[in-house]
Amino acid sequence: MLAIIGGSGLTKLSNMEVLRREVARTPYGEPSGALIFGTMCERPVVFLARHGYGHTIPPHRVNYRANIWALQQAGAEAIVSVASVGGIREDLGPGTLIVPHQVIDYTWGREMTYFEGGEGLVRHVDFTHPYDEVLRQRLLRAGALAGETMVDGGVYAAAQGPRLETAAEIDRFERDGADLVGMTGMPEASLARELDIPYAAINVVVNYAAGRWSSEQGIRMDEIEAVLHHAMGRVRGVLEMICRA
Ligand code: HPA
């Protein structure tokens, strides 16, 4: 079964036929909200809103461990993450859809592993390629089927938030090699890897990152809202094509 984790602007899938909801419990606490089981183009799918259904959980407080654990328990065989980001590169302007291929993790203080030592074995998972390449290609094909141009590849900088970055921080991320910046990509991706669940993301650029082009003087929330609303409609169209891709 395919799992979809929706971010800001995507707390439900209008093209999903909902069959049931389930409040899951895990050894790591409660996930962000109920798991919504249903079908999309006649295939089973489970959906979870990362920030809760009322959008009340900020990025640094999302219980990533409980979310990924609950999805695995529910039978998720692959996880597609949808999340909004800021564009660092000039060609990644608001409205761009991108399927990243690499991650740099700048987050801190989050519960980020299932392998805490103690009773369990110490394990070091391979994370050279953080996103599953087969799933990435499938997302790109789904985009093409939906008539959307999606950028293939990009380096995602996972920032701590919840505040946006300073212009100097964005300059640093770019020097490090980052193309886009978001707040929720980690530890979500590495936890999925720890549980051996293929994971890939569709990132929606909703603003230029701090200090860049239209964000040179600051980032306007009303502009983000407007882009988000329209772009998530397009993402729904892409998700609908995954089962054909
Ligand atoms: N920075 C970090 N996260 C984001 C941004 C940003 O500019 N836009 C949307 N998510």
Side-chain angles (χ1 to χ4, degrees):
M1 177 173 49
L2 179 71
I4 297 169
I5 303 180
S8 304
L10 194 75
T11 49
K12 65 176 197 270
L13 292 177
S14 43
N15 42 12
M16 173 178 176
E17 195 172 324
V18 176
L19 298 173
R20 69 191 165 90
R21 284 161 204 276
E22 193 178 301
V23 176
R25 296 199 199 291
T26 80
Y28 305 96
E30 280 188 26
S32 298
L35 303 186
I36 314 243
F37 291 87
T39 56
M40 230 166 41
C41 56
E42 286 156 34
R43 304 261 185 96
V45 51
V46 55
F47 178 82
L48 175 62
R50 183 184 289 111
H51 300 285
Y53 292 94
H55 204 280
T56 51
I57 311 170
H60 65 295
R61 292 221 179 260
V62 170
N63 191 340
Y64 296 97
R65 291 197 300 185
N67 286 354
I68 302 295
W69 189 273
L71 291 175
Q72 190 201 40
Q73 291 300 105
E77 290 156 335
I79 299 176
V80 173
S81 151
V82 178
S84 62
V85 294
I88 299 178
R89 263 175 26 205
E90 187 170 14
D91 62 313
L92 301 181
T96 305
L97 304 185
I98 174 163
V99 180
H101 77 295
Q102 273 297 334
V103 167
I104 303 176
D105 187 9
Y106 299 94
T107 67
W108 49 271
R110 301 182 180 189
E111 300 285 1
M112 45 49 161
T113 181
Y114 295 111
F115 304 134
E116 296 280 21
E119 286 174 22
L121 289 176
V122 175
R123 270 197 63 194
H124 304 284
V125 291
D126 173 59
F127 203 46
T128 310
H129 300 288
Y131 300 104
D132 182 81
E133 189 55 29
V134 173
L135 190 55
R136 280 188 71 251
Q137 293 301 330
R138 200 168 155 203
L139 294 181
L140 291 165
R141 282 197 301 275
L145 287 170
E148 290 290 348
T149 309
M150 300 212 291
V151 176
D152 177 1
V155 178
Y156 175 104
Q160 176 69 357
R163 66 164 176 83
L164 292 159
E165 297 73 34
T166 66
E169 285 168 339
I170 294 300
D171 289 344
R172 172 194 171 203
F173 292 173
E174 185 173 49
R175 285 195 301 274
D176 286 353
D179 302 307
L180 53 150
V181 55
M183 300 177 190
T184 56
M186 287 294 288
E188 204 172 81
S190 55
L191 289 166
R193 178 62 53 84
E194 285 190 351
L195 296 187
D196 258 333
I197 310 173
Y199 176 99
I202 301 175
N203 286 138
V204 180
V205 180
V206 292
N207 59 281
Y208 272 121
R212 297 301 160 107
W213 297 284
S214 57
S215 297
E216 202 180 340
Q217 299 306 319
I219 295 174
R220 299 236 336 244
M221 295 309 139
D222 53 339
E223 284 173 13
I224 288 187
E225 285 300 319
V227 178
L228 194 61
H229 184 71
H230 179 248
M232 286 304 167
R234 291 164 51 211
V235 170
R236 283 193 184 95
V238 174
L239 293 173
E240 211 167 85
M241 289 297 161
I242 289 182
C243 50
R244 304 213 181 104

